[in-house]
Amino acid sequence: MNYLKTGWVLLLIMTAAACGRKKGQPRQQEIVQNIRQLDEVVPEQVRERLEYVAGNEGVMEDSVPAFRLAALQYAYSEGKGAALWSKNGQAAQVTDSMMQWINAAGNYGLNPAHYHARALNDVQNHFRAGKDAQKDAALWAKMDVLLTDAFFKMSYHLHYGVAPRDSVTLRKDSLLSDTVLANLLQTALQNGNISAVLQQQEPFHPGYVALKEGVQQFSLQFGGMHWDTLPQQYYDTLLFKQQLAARLIQTGQLDSTGFTVTDSVKLKNAVRKFQKEFNIYPDGVAGKRTIQLLNKQPQDWLLQAALNLDRWRKLPDTLPGRYLLVNIPAFRLNVMEDTASVVESRVIVGTPRTRTPILNSVMTNFVLYPYWRVPYSIVFKEMLPQIKKNVGYLAEKNLEVVDRHGNVVSPDSVNWSKLGRNHFPYVLRQMDGLDNSLGILKFNFANKFSVYLHDTNNRSLFSNSNRALSHGCVRVQAWDSLAMYMIRNDPRPEMRDSVRAWLDNEEQRVYSMTNRLPIYIRYFTAEMREGRLQFYEDVYGEDKTLEKYFK
């Protein structure tokens, strides 16, 4: 390290030490006599800006927080404080490319404001306005530091997402260090190709790629639109029907050709088409929920899609060749193999009060005709009050009482009035059979939440449009197809017939998988499906929690 670079490192250490001492705005103008002097003056202006960020709690001069001050300091110490995006009053060719990425950040589910869009566009306009701006060292330094921060922030957001990660989505590679970020920028600048470096940060999962394309298509079609809102309550009036028809024409559910507002059948079919697209029960009536969704503006839908691009970024860089994915808001399960869905099923998930958890695990076995050990939360909240009223409730629900030694005891021998949350030395177990709440099959995978996938004895619920109905476990409609998929590659060719025989004979058996199946339970409220962007209800309110990170 030479003396000049050593000096810059020491200066930046002193700058970092100044953190907490808020300074005034850095100089906003410093005109040089000769444009060739810029490379001598700009480093001092860069230093001022880094010192300002350090003393302003990480907030940059345009009031947007820096991604990471240490990364900025490292990048400029490597270059001895020299401008990274210009030389002697000439912007690097990649500057325009970076600006295009910033201004088009919405196409990637990102907010341009996070990347200093307004301040950088103002700088660009100043440079176009006159020759004095070209000699302004302060303007060049401002552009340089903001662009560097924008590149670092966008690289990270494209790779890991905007929202914080939790213990489930935390990955082993979850850190772009200061060194890595600086090397990415150096590669982009040396090769003159910002796009190649930023694109490499994005996930390659087909679901992410398809959703990103859907966002861009939706933005082109509706992004510039704004429609009038409908009254919050349906009115069977000519005026309301006119308003409803105009709204449905805008998004293509209603063809205006030859349509008159008195054509109730055509209008009802258009409402039904909208309801199907947005996963509402298709009754053709513009009820409260339908009107709420009709009133959502294009930017609201684009934000919802952006949140889900962010969720894809939380997944590992590489997914297994085969895995099972449960999408909670879609009430759907898919087994993916080589990017294709080979098993699909409707599912029932937990209610908003008893949520199905987000998790990663590996499916290890399934149980035929399983017992159901009733969770104590259900025992105390739902069952014990009923048992105290009528002990016959146990027989009605096919429940047996098991003591701490594993022995089945007679319900009549238990003094139920003395039992409660603080004293309950028993387990309630629902016996196997067709009336068991777990149904015929239970799929096991290790997790701290004690949830699993299973069949159900109440299969009529799969026809509901809203299927957030369980206590947290996932009920699977196509349990038979899933089980057969899990044994199809078993090295024992007779196993498929054996499982079928166990099912026919109602035998309680455990099948241990030879090829375990990774499972991901996730929360996607938007996806590309059958060639169009499809949205789902935010059943657990998770979208609302994430929205604040995108403002």
Side-chain angles (χ1 to χ4, degrees):
M1 179 181 292
N2 60 35
Y3 291 115
L4 183 58
K5 183 176 178 182
T6 302
W8 246 87
V9 172
L10 289 172
L11 184 61
L12 289 174
I13 291 172
M14 293 170 63
T15 298
C19 189
R21 177 172 58 86
K22 187 168 182 177
K23 295 180 65 67
Q25 284 274 345
R27 286 174 292 169
Q28 295 300 300
Q29 188 177 65
E30 185 175 1
I31 307 296
V32 299
Q33 293 294 322
N34 189 314
I35 204 166
R36 294 183 180 179
Q37 296 175 296
L38 283 170
D39 284 357
E40 299 174 12
V41 182
V42 165
E44 173 63 18
Q45 285 283 346
V46 168
R47 186 197 63 77
E48 272 193 33
R49 279 155 175 80
L50 296 182
E51 186 176 353
Y52 172 78
V53 176
N56 197 35
E57 300 179 344
V59 177
M60 304 189 77
E61 59 185 301
D62 64 340
S63 301
V64 176
F67 171 64
R68 193 188 298 152
L69 174 59
L72 288 172
Q73 292 171 334
Y74 181 81
Y76 284 103
S77 70
E78 286 292 287
K80 308 179 186 68
L84 302 175
W85 298 83
S86 67
K87 187 173 180 61
N88 279 331
Q90 289 292 323
Q93 290 183 349
V94 291
T95 300
D96 286 342
S97 178
M98 189 67 221
M99 289 302 301
Q100 288 172 7
W101 272 86
I102 291 170
N103 290 324
N107 289 335
Y108 302 87
L110 304 174
N111 185 345
H114 290 173
Y115 314 102
H116 315 288
R118 178 177 295 179
L120 283 166
N121 281 305
D122 285 345
V123 169
Q124 297 272 304
N125 290 333
H126 275 91
F127 281 143
R128 296 187 190 102
K131 293 182 179 179
D132 281 347
Q134 298 287 336
K135 296 181 181 180
D136 189 346
L139 206 57
W140 284 108
K142 179 178 183 178
M143 181 191 80
D144 214 84
V145 177
L146 293 179
L147 278 175
T148 300
D149 183 68
F151 177 87
F152 289 166
K153 195 180 296 182
M154 187 171 283
S155 297
Y156 185 91
H157 287 169
L158 287 171
H159 199 68
Y160 298 115
V162 177
R165 286 155 289 132
D166 55 29
S167 59
V168 176
T169 59
L170 197 64
R171 294 148 47 179
K172 293 179 181 179
D173 63 343
S174 343
L175 179 66
L176 283 176
S177 67
D178 301 341
T179 306
V180 171
L181 285 170
N183 288 340
L184 287 175
L185 178 57
Q186 194 62 29
T187 299
L189 294 173
Q190 286 179 350
N191 296 340
N193 196 335
I194 290 288
S195 294
V197 174
L198 290 179
Q199 286 168 354
Q200 286 172 0
Q201 307 315 308
E202 292 189 271
F204 295 98
H205 309 312
Y208 171 86
V209 174
L211 180 56
K212 186 176 68 171
E213 291 174 356
V215 167
Q216 294 175 8
Q217 291 173 10
F218 189 94
S219 184
L220 284 173
Q221 186 174 4
F222 301 115
M225 288 188 179
H226 182 89
W227 36 73
D228 295 332
T229 56
L230 298 169
Q232 290 299 309
Q233 186 174 346
Y234 174 75
Y235 297 98
D236 191 17
T237 64
L238 187 62
L239 176 60
F240 181 85
K241 290 179 178 179
Q242 288 172 339
Q243 293 172 317
L244 178 61
R247 171 62 187 82
L248 293 167
I249 289 170
Q250 285 180 303
T251 43
Q253 286 84 25
L254 179 61
D255 184 358
S256 62
T257 305
F259 173 76
T260 62
V261 75
T262 56
D263 191 343
S264 298
V265 173
K266 195 170 184 179
L267 185 59
K268 189 170 186 175
N269 287 337
V271 172
R272 187 177 287 114
K273 184 177 180 181
F274 176 86
Q275 290 169 329
K276 287 180 179 178
E277 289 181 9
F278 291 90
N279 301 290
I280 312 170
Y281 182 71
D283 58 5
V285 178
K288 181 178 179 180
R289 179 63 182 152
T290 300
I291 292 174
Q292 285 177 345
L293 294 186
L294 283 165
N295 284 344
K296 282 183 71 170
Q297 298 298 320
Q299 290 306 313
D300 298 326
W301 294 116
L302 287 170
L303 175 58
Q304 184 171 337
L307 303 179
N308 289 278
L309 286 172
D310 210 66
R311 290 180 173 122
W312 275 108
R313 295 176 182 126
K314 301 294 187 288
L315 286 168
D317 285 345
T318 304
L319 291 172
R322 51 191 289 273
Y323 61 92
L324 186 153
L325 175 66
V326 174
N327 185 1
I328 294 171
F331 308 122
R332 192 179 67 249
L333 169 157
N334 289 91
V335 176
M336 305 300 296
E337 191 172 291
D338 297 328
T339 72
S341 177
V342 293
V343 177
E344 180 169 314
S345 175
R346 291 186 172 198
V347 299
I348 293 169
V349 300
T351 68
R353 294 185 64 183
T354 56
R355 300 181 179 190
T356 296
I358 305 298
L359 59 80
N360 307 330
S361 190
V362 178
M363 195 171 290
T364 55
N365 64 67
F366 62 76
V367 181
L368 286 77
Y369 296 97
Y371 289 118
W372 178 42
R373 180 189 179 282
V374 184
Y376 284 117
S377 59
I378 299 176
V379 171
F380 298 136
K381 186 176 181 180
E382 300 179 20
M383 293 185 171
L384 190 56
Q386 297 295 327
I387 297 169
K388 288 180 176 181
K389 291 178 183 177
N390 176 19
V391 74
Y393 174 87
L394 291 163
E396 292 174 10
K397 297 297 182 182
N398 202 24
L399 293 166
E400 57 185 8
V401 184
V402 182
D403 66 17
R404 66 184 65 186
H405 303 293
N407 300 314
V408 177
V409 300
S410 169
D412 295 325
S413 68
V414 177
N415 188 344
W416 295 99
S417 64
K418 293 187 176 181
L419 299 183
R421 191 176 296 273
N422 297 323
H423 176 64
F424 194 87
Y426 301 104
V427 167
L428 298 188
R429 185 173 70 184
Q430 194 168 49
M431 292 175 281
D432 63 316
L434 296 178
D435 291 332
N436 189 311
S437 295
L438 300 185
I440 294 175
L441 234 67
K442 171 189 171 188
F443 302 89
N444 290 317
F445 48 91
N447 68 91
K448 65 181 180 181
F449 307 100
S450 299
V451 298
Y452 32 82
L453 273 61
H454 64 88
D455 177 30
T456 178
N457 61 349
N458 194 354
R459 298 188 179 109
S460 63
L461 295 178
F462 286 111
S463 62
N464 289 14
S465 57
N466 184 332
R467 296 193 292 279
L469 304 167
S470 81
H471 287 95
C473 289
V474 178
R475 306 175 193 172
V476 183
Q477 184 178 38
W479 58 269
D480 188 24
S481 299
L482 180 58
M484 291 302 107
Y485 172 82
M486 290 167 64
I487 64 175
R488 71 174 189 172
N489 292 322
D490 193 297
R492 298 161 293 181
E494 74 282 1
M495 187 52 62
R496 194 177 184 93
D497 290 337
S498 296
V499 171
R500 283 293 184 194
W502 297 338
L503 286 169
D504 291 342
N505 297 330
E506 299 186 13
E507 296 182 39
Q508 189 177 57
R509 296 272 190 154
V510 177
Y511 171 79
S512 296
M513 298 176 62
T514 53
N515 297 309
R516 296 183 173 188
L517 184 65
I519 175 172
Y520 299 90
I521 299 182
R522 285 295 185 270
Y523 194 92
F524 293 110
T525 58
E527 66 175 345
M528 275 292 277
R529 185 167 168 84
E530 298 176 354
R532 63 182 176 84
L533 200 54
Q534 191 156 327
F535 298 93
Y536 306 108
E537 184 177 356
D538 182 19
V539 288
Y540 294 166
E542 293 292 330
D543 283 0
K544 292 180 181 178
T545 302
L546 287 186
E547 283 177 6
K548 62 183 177 182
Y549 299 105
F550 290 78
K551 298 298 185 182

